[in-house]
Amino acid sequence: MSTRKMSRRDFLRLAGLVGGGAALAACAPKLTETAVPATEAAATTEAPALPKKAADLLKAAGVPLPGSPDNPKGWKTDMPDVPAGYPLAQPITITTARPTDSEVIFPEGDDLDNNVWTRSMAALFGINFVNKLTWVEGDEQMQKYNLAMVSNDLPDIMQGVPPETFLQMVEADMLLELGPIWEQYASPKWKAIVAEAGDNAWRQSIVNGKRYAIPAAISAAHDNVVLWVRKDWLDKLGLKAPETMQDIHDVAVAFAEAKLGGPDTYGLLANNDIHYSWYGSIDPIWGGYGIATNYGQFGWSKAADGSLEYGGVKPEAKEVLTMLSQWYKDGVFRKDFYAISADELVPDLASGRCGLQFNPTWGANRDSVANTGADWIFLNIPAGPQGRHQFSSDPWLGGAIFCCPKNFQHAKEWIEMTNWRIEFEETVGNRMHGWDGIDYAITDGVYEDLDPRWDFWTVGPRGTRWDLVIDPLYNDKQNNFYLTEWEKVPEDQRDAFQAAQFADPVTVLRVKSKIFAGQNHAAQALFDLFSGTPTPTMEEVWSDLVDMENETFLSIIIGEKPIEAYDEFVANWKSGGGDQVTVEVNEWWKSIQ
Amino acid sequence: MSVSALFTPKFKAYFQRTWILYMMIIPTLVLLAIFAYYPMYGTVIAFQKFNPGLGFFRSPWVGLANFERIFNSPTFPRVIGNTLIIAISQMVVGQVSAVLLALSLNEIRFIWFKRFMQNLLYMPHFLSWVVLGGILMEILSPFGLVGKAQTAMGLDPIIFLGSNDWFRPTLVLTNLWKEVGWGTIIYLAALTGIDPELYEAAAIDGANRFQRMWHISIPSILTTIILIASLNLGNVLQANFEQVFMLYNPTVYQTGDIIDTYVYRMGLIQAEFGISAAAGLFKSIIGFLLIIVSYKLADKYAGYKIF
Amino acid sequence: MIREKDWRNVAFDIFNHLFVFVLGLLALAPLVNLLAISLSSSAASMGGYVTFLPVDFTLENYTAIIKSDSVYRAFMVSVQRTVLGTILSMFITVITAYPLSKTAREFKGRNVFIWIIVFTMLFEGGLIPYFMVIRSLGLLNSIWALILPGVSTWSIILLMNFFKEVPRELEEAALLDGASHWQILWKIFIPLSTPALATLALFIAVFHWNSWFDGMIFMTDHANYPLQTYLRTVVIDMNSSTLQMDATTVDSLSQRSLRAAMIFISTVPIMVIYPFLQRYFVTGIKLGSVKG
């Protein structure tokens, strides 16, 4: 090959590469940046002193109204007036952090930062919301917050900051003292709700006597479990509904042996978190013995002398372990339950492999009804030895918290906006069910839930994710209203949404189970009473102690270790820092009495 | 060379010839300076109770306290043990299997079959552990392929990814599945370099196939084997982070938690940055020593100079 | 190869071929299983009825993926990153390996430079400082965070060794002709190294395509995730401490088929390109590692 030929070819090749690369870099799909949307420029420029009509503002901005007033089977959504001073003359941008989902569906051209909800907020308030951090699952959330702290680039509104990170942020003086601002601007309704929860609500938010965060509420009884049983199986075997722990055992064994769901049938749903988990929890079993649970560990409850003790080292735990290991031997549980995580259990229900479960509303599994003809009924959870029915619950207020960086200028606007949203979305009878064509569609008079999976989510405190609310009891009030009031409406006069509430027996079943759980809450809820930030010794040894506990308990249940291993565990736990932690926890407990 | 020597005509002439070579090196040096050397200052985190909000200058110093804590805790020594066990098992099993498979492939008579099989066997190497993790979680579940095979044979399905007894073997075997085909390339290359006359001479002397393999094939690739083993030694503390990270879960921390997963969890999840950095620093230093040792071994026994 | 006809050898041959055949099947089996699940209805796959053939054949999972914006976006991020990253890495590797392949006399300071490069393979500063550097350069959430740090030290070493093997006479003749080093590199060394370069390019491309950890750390916005990172969020179980499930979510969790389809789609590019390039890397490996 002559030199000349090579050089031209090579040059062309190189140029091609470089050119191609540059072209690619330039015209590749634009990566999403946290850019400010264009609506900022298009917002109205007046700042009248009178409250404005929400519907007018939306129409002026060309944003669709929620509800379907024009549809014969539709309804009208009532919106309260926007408070005086809004929309802001100078629109502002607030950055947020929130969970998202790999299955979220947006209409054409929309995304998480630009959708009918964000446009509505921009039109009504002059506030643009932009997401700075997003995550899909739990670990990612913690990682993103930690990294955001490292880069000193915090979103304006942060929800669910893990306690350790929250403490570090406070230490480094990175957070706004939200308490006083909230006191100043929150609406009376909001304040009343929080006041009802008492001091508990602020526990996680207070550091050194100052409130650096405001509490989030979860819908009451959202995660409270009931006992679900397959009535069709009970009937087939001629069994009556289980009421005690022993009943559960017997029914479960009977189900497993009869193999009513195929060769892999088993009795009671359980997963690798034997404490409290969101699917297939066994917390009522511990609760029946007075032991509180939490995600991945036990809870702290009051001992006879008023101090707090950790559930895992209470003497009753040994009783439960003995019972559970016997249950495992008898085949109550799935053979490999200790290796299965919560969401891996979903197919078990769906394909009809098990007949007993402790779950909130979603225990009425749609697929199992459709595929296997399951007839689920819900019952009260079984009683423990002293007749206690108890399940573990989160306090309705004060769990996840919302905090803001120190330089956040618009806390006032955010709180005032939330006040309005409480008025709007938490008043039963306003009929806010979403937007036509986005959240639902009415085809031939039939309501269809489009399930876009992002709903009219907003950014905290209300509704950052599904059921986060201000008033924990709101959803129950709403459901009660639906079931009682609308039932009175004659069927042919119901609009599409009303009809849909009764159309699907599974939905009705779920709603009823939720109301049932809510009614039981006051009597049966068992809380993990330690809600402070981790103590110094906890920071050092707690994860090791929890690891040890999980290992020991699981091994005992599945028979790998004898029950005596429990005593050894208790001794190791105490000497490995557990006693010290207990002391510190009780110091905290005394300090908040 | 003193500075004044830079201005001698001899140097000027040299520089005129070679200045472009220095230009060529510059991009790499700049990139390394920014992305590799500059971050090294962060090793100070290992000696602080680091709060990212306070940064390096305001976070309190704790001297060796972080190191004390990790070595006194039951977790970290266990983590080191896991790392070594997993890594060494993977390396030994991997290498032995690759050699055996290479020998086997070498004996295949039909070239098209050999090529086709090789292509199949190389393929898993190119899949990422995210993909493989997804596949494995499927297959190894009791209702997946493997589980059903076991039930069909009347055995209780074993929970591979949830059992401390089985997690490490699962790591080793799945890594083997992914890499054994790929690992044969080097050995096959070495095997094809063997002079056929050696085989013929041996056959004439009455040696059968196995004897020929044992006395000719294996010794000839021995250098290669040693080379690969030495190079692997330097990597022993890595223990295949991506694989473990994708497949592990809290129930198998006891046997499956390795240094890198511990570092990640302590740092980015539990916000214990100082602890995480201390563990990471420990690993870097030991790793550094191991690599030096491995390079020296590679040089001494296989005559392979890295540079 | 010596051919012997006695029964022992034939038996060995049969066994050997069978053995390799079975191994090959094992290499394929999980992928076939995955494909089958992805083409099955969700009821069938949830019940665990699918082995190697689809049950209740359906293409709905794939259509859902194709319609999904997020998968497409993640895919394009990966493509962009792989192409740009490979080009940049290769370019840097080539221009760095060339000077280093000269002897210490020809290129003074060579050994120092090599040590500077090798040292970074031995020692690293840790994730947090690295993250801070990326951030202070303003590269957070930008694709350049995934591309720029792409100095592949091992490819530099490999190519350097390869360049060393180029006969010196070629270079000397060119120098006498008045060619500059730059010209020598591009006109002599590169053309002679195409197998090695193709191999390295392939390895680097595969590395970029399969990377997921950096995407997870440096992309704050979910929408900017490369494909493997995105896939990981789909594959990994939801952490049990995630608050607030609701019934609709739970209903849709039994999406085994959809997950399988997503995983399968992300392997397609590799499996498609792979047969064409495999001859390169085989020769490349041999050239790069076995000496003499």
Side-chain angles (χ1 to χ4, degrees):
Chain A
M1 288 188 278
S2 82
T3 326
R4 178 109 53 94
K5 236 195 254 173
M6 257 188 272
S7 82
R8 203 186 307 150
R9 207 187 327 139
D10 275 333
F11 175 73
L12 284 176
R13 230 187 273 164
L14 184 61
L17 272 181
V18 171
L24 194 63
C27 65
K30 183 156 186 265
L31 290 188
T32 319
E33 293 162 346
T34 51
V36 176
T39 49
E40 215 170 316
T44 63
T45 46
E46 313 170 357
L50 300 168
K52 295 191 120 183
K53 291 265 165 248
D56 295 337
L57 287 171
L58 289 177
K59 282 206 195 101
V63 180
L65 293 167
S68 309
D70 302 322
N71 191 305
K73 281 291 189 183
W75 57 88
K76 183 169 173 302
T77 303
D78 287 323
M79 303 179 88
D81 292 338
V82 172
Y86 291 99
L88 296 171
Q90 285 290 89
I92 59 175
T93 303
I94 298 184
T95 56
T96 58
R98 58 173 292 164
T100 177
D101 205 281
S102 49
E103 293 167 38
V104 166
I105 308 171
F106 287 105
E108 198 62 45
D110 282 357
D111 61 34
L112 209 54
D113 289 331
N114 186 10
N115 51 67
V116 64
W117 186 83
T118 60
R119 291 193 284 269
S120 301
M121 289 297 119
L124 294 174
F125 290 93
I127 302 181
N128 290 312
F129 285 99
V130 172
N131 281 297
K132 207 176 223 183
L133 293 183
T134 54
W135 60 83
V136 166
E137 41 105 25
D139 266 6
E140 215 185 317
Q141 172 182 7
M142 297 192 259
Q143 177 202 296
K144 289 252 161 91
Y145 274 133
N146 286 325
L147 288 177
M149 199 175 33
V150 170
S151 51
N152 205 6
D153 191 13
L154 303 176
D156 289 326
I157 300 180
M158 300 180 277
Q159 64 120 1
V161 178
E164 301 86 5
T165 312
F166 177 68
L167 262 186
Q168 287 185 339
M169 288 186 187
V170 172
E171 231 176 48
D173 201 22
M174 291 171 96
L175 294 182
L176 185 58
E177 200 186 329
L178 264 180
I181 303 183
W182 183 83
E183 287 294 338
Q184 204 181 350
Y185 297 109
S187 68
K189 190 169 174 183
W190 192 354
K191 287 196 182 152
I193 294 171
V194 175
E196 237 185 85
D199 287 329
N200 224 352
W202 296 98
R203 290 241 173 90
Q204 292 236 332
S205 320
I206 300 189
V207 183
N208 295 333
K210 299 202 192 150
R211 290 185 279 181
Y212 285 99
I214 49 184
I218 52 173
S219 180
H222 176 94
D223 288 343
N224 291 162
V225 303
V226 293
L227 171 65
W228 294 91
V229 188
R230 276 190 70 158
K231 185 154 191 311
D232 49 318
W233 288 8
L234 282 181
D235 291 340
K236 263 204 207 118
L237 298 178
L239 301 166
K240 68 174 184 57
E243 284 176 24
T244 63
M245 302 278 185
Q246 186 58 37
D247 287 344
I248 302 265
H249 166 268
D250 297 337
V251 169
V253 171
F255 283 170
E257 286 179 353
K259 296 203 186 305
L260 291 169
D264 302 313
T265 310
Y266 61 94
L268 176 65
L269 203 64
N271 63 62
N272 62 4
D273 188 352
I274 55 170
H275 312 88
Y276 176 83
S277 81
W278 63 270
Y279 203 88
S281 178
I282 57 172
D283 64 277
I285 299 184
W286 298 101
Y289 286 77
I291 300 180
T293 57
N294 208 328
Y295 289 104
Q297 55 185 304
F298 289 103
W300 295 79
S301 40
K302 256 202 271 204
D305 62 357
S307 70
L308 288 186
E309 52 174 356
Y310 180 65
V313 295
K314 280 169 74 138
E316 289 85 349
K318 192 171 180 184
E319 283 180 56
V320 180
L321 277 179
T322 318
M323 182 175 82
L324 287 176
S325 69
Q326 183 60 43
W327 284 21
Y328 180 80
K329 237 196 280 178
D330 293 341
V332 167
F333 300 115
R334 186 171 143 160
K335 274 270 165 284
D336 61 341
F337 84 90
Y338 55 91
I340 303 296
S341 70
D343 65 313
E344 282 176 312
L345 283 180
V346 178
D348 280 3
L349 272 189
S351 55
R353 268 191 218 113
C354 90
L356 282 165
Q357 39 157 334
F358 292 110
N359 259 327
T361 68
W362 47 80
N365 180 286
R366 238 176 248 292
D367 289 311
S368 64
V369 172
N371 296 343
T372 68
D375 180 15
W376 292 101
I377 56 169
F378 58 87
L379 301 167
N380 203 357
I381 54 178
Q386 285 109 23
R388 299 166 91 140
H389 304 262
Q390 298 222 280
F391 54 71
S392 289
S393 182
D394 285 327
W396 290 338
L397 258 184
I401 49 176
F402 287 90
C403 53
C404 309
K406 193 143 196 222
N407 55 6
F408 182 43
Q409 305 292 337
H410 304 297
K412 164 177 179 293
E413 286 81 1
W414 171 48
I415 292 180
E416 292 183 336
M417 179 196 91
T418 311
N419 292 338
W420 181 85
R421 297 204 58 213
I422 298 172
E423 262 319 301
F424 175 36
E425 290 165 50
E426 291 194 11
T427 305
V428 181
N430 271 348
R431 302 296 308 271
M432 172 51 166
H433 306 306
W435 281 265
D436 195 335
I438 297 177
D439 292 294
Y440 64 88
I442 304 183
T443 344
D444 297 328
V446 176
Y447 173 89
E448 186 198 339
D449 191 341
L450 290 179
D451 191 21
R453 305 285 301 275
W454 58 277
D455 278 334
F456 37 102
W457 295 6
T458 176
V459 286
R462 198 203 178 270
T464 301
R465 189 177 170 110
W466 297 296
D467 275 322
L468 271 189
V469 294
I470 294 295
D471 179 2
L473 293 168
Y474 173 67
N475 277 334
D476 278 356
K477 288 181 194 156
Q478 187 189 53
N479 286 329
N480 249 320
F481 183 79
Y482 291 175
L483 280 187
T484 50
E485 290 305 310
W486 289 353
E487 229 182 357
K488 299 187 197 142
V489 176
E491 253 188 71
D492 51 347
Q493 284 178 14
R494 292 181 193 154
D495 59 53
F497 186 79
Q498 290 170 330
Q501 298 312 302
F502 298 96
D504 179 13
V506 173
T507 309
V508 177
L509 187 59
R510 283 178 175 176
V511 170
K512 287 192 174 155
S513 75
K514 184 121 178 280
I515 298 180
F516 180 70
Q519 287 164 348
N520 287 332
H521 181 93
Q524 295 184 354
L526 189 57
F527 297 116
D528 177 1
L529 289 174
F530 178 63
S531 54
T533 43
T535 69
T537 314
M538 271 181 138
E539 281 182 13
E540 273 188 41
V541 304
W542 193 247
S543 46
D544 287 336
L545 289 180
V546 169
D547 279 348
M548 182 167 61
E549 173 198 301
N550 274 327
E551 247 177 74
T552 314
F553 279 40
L554 278 176
S555 320
I556 294 180
I557 295 180
I558 62 179
E560 260 183 31
K561 287 202 182 137
I563 187 65
E564 289 72 26
Y566 175 74
D567 302 313
E568 209 185 302
F569 155 74
V570 173
N572 287 336
W573 188 91
K574 293 194 166 156
S575 62
D579 272 343
Q580 182 58 27
V581 172
T582 310
V583 166
E584 290 171 0
V585 165
N586 276 299
E587 275 169 17
W588 169 86
W589 181 242
K590 279 202 208 75
S591 76
I592 59 168
Q593 293 307 313
Chain B
M1 244 181 26
S2 62
V3 175
S4 55
L6 288 173
F7 296 99
T8 58
K10 186 168 169 212
F11 187 78
K12 278 213 196 113
Y14 164 79
F15 202 62
Q16 222 170 354
R17 276 201 320 272
T18 58
W19 70 274
I20 195 169
L21 293 179
Y22 290 94
M23 289 285 111
M24 290 197 214
I25 286 260
I26 287 184
T28 297
L29 291 179
V30 166
L31 285 177
L32 282 181
I34 300 178
F35 293 111
Y37 280 98
Y38 187 55
M40 288 189 192
Y41 76 81
T43 45
V44 303
I45 299 183
F47 303 99
Q48 297 177 313
K49 188 164 158 47
F50 187 68
N51 178 336
L54 297 173
F56 298 108
F57 296 110
R58 292 190 294 155
S59 293
W61 289 89
V62 293
L64 293 177
N66 287 330
F67 291 95
E68 263 177 51
R69 233 184 87 184
I70 54 179
F71 286 113
N72 283 334
S73 92
T75 326
F76 193 62
R78 189 183 71 190
V79 158
I80 301 182
N82 289 342
T83 310
L84 290 176
I85 296 180
I86 293 177
I88 295 183
S89 317
Q90 283 187 341
M91 286 173 189
V92 169
V93 171
Q95 199 166 17
V96 167
S97 310
V99 170
L100 289 178
L101 184 57
L103 288 174
S104 165
L105 282 172
N106 199 34
E107 299 284 332
I108 299 283
R109 293 201 179 281
F110 306 105
I111 301 287
W112 58 267
F113 182 68
K114 180 178 174 185
R115 287 253 173 80
F116 185 70
M117 281 298 134
Q118 279 177 303
N119 283 342
L120 272 190
L121 290 169
Y122 296 156
M123 191 157 58
H125 168 84
F126 288 99
L127 301 176
S128 75
W129 275 111
V130 172
V131 166
L132 271 185
I135 297 181
L136 285 175
M137 288 193 216
E138 261 297 328
I139 301 188
L140 294 178
S141 94
F143 301 113
L145 266 190
V146 173
K148 276 157 49 136
Q150 291 178 80
T151 355
M153 294 194 288
L155 302 168
D156 267 339
I158 303 179
I159 326 306
F160 295 96
L161 296 179
S163 149
N164 273 313
D165 287 328
W166 285 98
F167 188 62
R168 285 194 207 132
T170 307
L171 286 179
V172 172
L173 283 176
T174 51
N175 193 50
L176 187 68
W177 176 81
K178 181 176 192 270
E179 301 287 354
V180 72
W182 187 252
T184 59
I185 295 184
I186 292 201
Y187 302 115
L188 276 176
L191 282 171
T192 50
I194 300 176
D195 189 349
E197 292 190 5
L198 284 174
Y199 289 113
E200 285 172 11
I204 293 175
D205 280 347
N208 69 25
R209 213 150 182 181
F210 295 106
Q211 287 170 322
R212 289 201 299 270
M213 251 196 266
W214 182 252
H215 291 283
I216 302 179
S217 306
I218 295 192
S220 307
I221 61 175
L222 200 55
T223 337
T224 315
I225 297 181
I226 294 183
L227 167 67
I228 302 293
S230 310
L231 290 179
N232 278 340
L233 178 62
N235 269 338
V236 79
L237 290 182
Q238 282 301 109
N240 218 340
F241 168 69
E242 290 207 352
Q243 177 195 26
V244 178
F245 191 68
M246 280 306 296
L247 293 178
Y248 89 150
N249 58 71
T251 37
V252 293
Y253 280 174
Q254 192 191 6
T255 49
D257 197 12
I258 59 175
I259 299 183
D260 278 328
T261 51
Y262 178 81
V263 166
Y264 171 79
R265 221 168 49 245
M266 284 295 137
L268 290 186
I269 305 295
Q270 298 196 12
E272 292 260 27
F273 295 103
I275 299 289
S276 165
L281 182 60
F282 171 79
K283 171 175 172 262
S284 288
I285 295 182
I286 304 288
F288 178 86
L289 296 172
L290 279 176
I291 292 190
I292 303 279
V293 166
S294 84
Y295 284 179
K296 290 248 182 303
L297 283 178
D299 187 12
K300 182 166 178 200
Y301 291 107
Y304 187 74
K305 286 198 187 315
I306 306 297
F307 49 92
Chain C
M1 200 160 288
I2 301 155
R3 293 183 185 275
E4 291 172 358
K5 287 277 165 64
D6 79 342
W7 71 272
R8 274 199 309 247
N9 274 295
V10 172
F12 172 80
D13 270 340
I14 297 182
F15 172 76
N16 197 28
H17 285 68
L18 262 185
F19 172 68
V20 170
F21 183 66
V22 167
L23 279 190
L25 285 186
L26 278 182
L28 262 191
L31 288 165
V32 173
N33 176 241
L34 189 72
L35 183 61
I37 294 183
S38 68
L39 290 171
S40 309
S41 73
S42 53
S45 65
M46 262 166 8
Y49 300 121
V50 185
T51 45
F52 293 111
L53 288 174
V55 174
D56 250 1
F57 184 88
T58 168
L59 287 175
E60 68 185 2
N61 297 306
Y62 286 101
T63 43
I65 292 181
I66 294 180
K67 278 200 267 182
S68 156
D69 261 346
S70 40
V71 175
Y72 174 73
R73 205 159 36 198
F75 192 87
M76 289 315 289
V77 170
S78 278
V79 167
Q80 190 185 13
R81 174 231 173 117
T82 304
V83 172
L84 291 177
T86 309
I87 294 177
L88 181 70
S89 282
M90 285 307 294
F91 181 69
I92 296 205
T93 304
V94 164
I95 63 173
T96 310
Y98 177 70
L100 292 179
S101 65
K102 309 284 169 220
T103 65
R105 237 167 27 107
E106 290 173 329
F107 182 52
K108 294 200 203 297
R110 167 200 186 260
N111 287 334
V112 172
F113 291 129
I114 293 192
W115 266 109
I116 291 181
I117 294 178
V118 171
F119 186 73
T120 65
M121 291 166 84
L122 308 177
F123 200 79
E124 55 172 35
L127 187 57
I128 299 292
Y130 186 60
F131 178 84
M132 286 174 167
V133 168
I134 299 272
R135 177 189 97 80
S136 51
L137 288 173
L139 293 180
L140 265 192
N141 217 24
S142 147
I143 202 169
W144 295 100
L146 309 178
I147 297 177
L148 278 184
V151 175
S152 177
T153 44
W154 61 269
S155 353
I156 295 179
I157 305 274
L158 230 97
L159 195 59
M160 174 187 80
N161 280 330
F162 189 79
F163 278 172
K164 271 197 211 166
E165 302 289 317
V166 172
R168 307 222 28 178
E169 302 81 51
L170 287 179
E171 186 183 342
E172 280 167 11
L175 279 174
L176 285 175
D177 277 349
S180 74
H181 275 296
W182 186 257
Q183 290 169 313
I184 296 178
L185 169 63
W186 292 102
K187 294 184 197 170
I188 301 183
F189 280 76
I190 298 281
L192 286 180
S193 326
T194 17
L197 290 176
T199 311
L200 287 178
L202 177 67
F203 284 154
I204 293 180
V206 169
F207 166 76
H208 273 297
W209 184 259
N210 284 342
S211 293
W212 54 273
F213 193 72
D214 49 1
M216 189 174 81
I217 303 284
F218 296 123
M219 297 305 197
T220 52
D221 191 350
H222 220 250
N224 289 340
Y225 277 179
L227 186 62
Q228 299 288 341
T229 310
Y230 174 80
L231 200 60
R232 180 176 171 270
T233 65
V234 167
V235 163
I236 215 112
D237 294 331
M238 288 207 206
N239 189 310
S240 59
S241 65
T242 305
L243 303 168
Q244 321 310 329
M245 275 297 139
D246 84 342
T248 11
T249 319
V250 173
D251 275 346
S252 65
L253 267 186
S254 25
Q255 289 307 322
R256 231 170 127 197
S257 298
L258 188 61
R259 277 201 333 218
M262 281 205 220
I263 299 179
F264 192 78
I265 278 205
S266 68
T267 63
V268 164
I270 298 237
M271 293 203 290
V272 160
I273 300 199
Y274 163 83
F276 297 107
L277 298 176
Q278 71 99 347
R279 55 198 158 119
Y280 285 118
F281 58 74
V282 175
T283 23
I285 296 255
K286 294 189 221 168
L287 289 166
S289 16
V290 179
K291 291 182 161 268

